[in-house]
Amino acid sequence: VHFSLLQGQTLSPVFHADPKMHGTQVHFDEAELLPLHATASGLALLAFAPKKLTDRVLAGPLERFTESTITDPDILRDLMEKVRETGCSKLEQGFDNEVSSHGAPIFGPDGELLGALSIAVPHVRMNPEKSAAIREALKRGVMKITRSIGGNIPPRHAGKWGTDA
């Protein structure tokens, strides 16, 4: 799991934790800035970002990191619409060929978008059951983190992540 803050047109990781439950783990470098279009955390952020930021990012250029990186702005806009409906994103092998991840936005005191929470697992271990469990954990995390930093879920998005911290 990692939490990243929006920094211009990238995400800057500020915290990550790995339970080290398996021999194969996702390598994570907290010093590496994360692109918004190629990561689940970035896609979650873009889905809830102001139109000005979304338009600027999607105007490109959109770097290809893997063969699965989505660089078509129309496809990204369709994905963002689905993320707005569900509250969580999912990307497989978009930034790293060996990683699948889910992401969700984190909000500040006035409901402004601050960053994103993401859970990444080795792609070979992703399955529908794990995906569902990750989404539920993210929903709890969004509420807990947003509230613990004095944030508020914007009213138009109420209920997407639950109602309790």
Side-chain angles (χ1 to χ4, degrees):
V1 64
H2 63 90
F3 174 68
S4 303
L5 292 173
L6 180 61
Q7 297 279 318
Q9 292 186 170
T10 62
L11 282 171
S12 179
V14 294
F15 175 81
H16 89 278
D18 186 335
K20 300 190 186 320
M21 296 171 51
H22 302 278
T24 304
Q25 302 166 354
V26 172
H27 170 74
F28 191 81
D29 180 356
E30 284 184 3
E32 184 173 32
L33 294 177
L34 303 173
L36 298 180
H37 73 286
T39 60
S41 51
L43 184 60
L45 190 133
L46 281 174
F48 294 93
K51 184 177 181 335
K52 184 177 177 180
L53 173 62
T54 302
D55 288 346
R56 194 168 53 240
V57 169
L58 296 183
L62 299 173
E63 183 177 351
R64 182 172 298 283
F65 296 93
T66 71
E67 289 184 22
S68 298
T69 302
I70 301 167
T71 59
D72 181 320
D74 292 330
I75 294 173
L76 288 165
R77 286 184 196 283
D78 288 345
L79 286 173
M80 289 169 15
E81 183 59 36
K82 291 176 184 170
V83 174
R84 278 190 290 277
E85 290 171 14
T86 65
C88 294
S89 64
K90 179 181 180 184
L91 279 179
E92 296 184 337
Q93 301 171 302
F95 187 59
D96 181 319
N97 280 318
E98 298 178 8
V99 177
S100 290
S101 58
H102 291 69
I106 300 295
F107 299 94
D110 295 323
E112 75 277 15
L113 191 61
L114 293 181
L117 183 66
S118 182
I119 298 176
V121 299
H123 181 67
V124 298
R125 284 207 313 263
M126 184 60 74
N127 59 46
E129 294 79 22
K130 181 164 294 289
S131 183
I134 287 171
R135 291 172 90 77
E136 289 306 310
L138 279 175
K139 288 178 180 184
R140 289 189 307 272
V142 165
M143 297 304 294
K144 189 171 190 174
I145 292 170
T146 294
R147 290 205 173 134
S148 73
I149 61 174
N152 293 294
I153 302 295
R156 68 186 175 280
H157 300 303
K160 288 184 179 147
W161 301 280
T163 56
D164 298 321

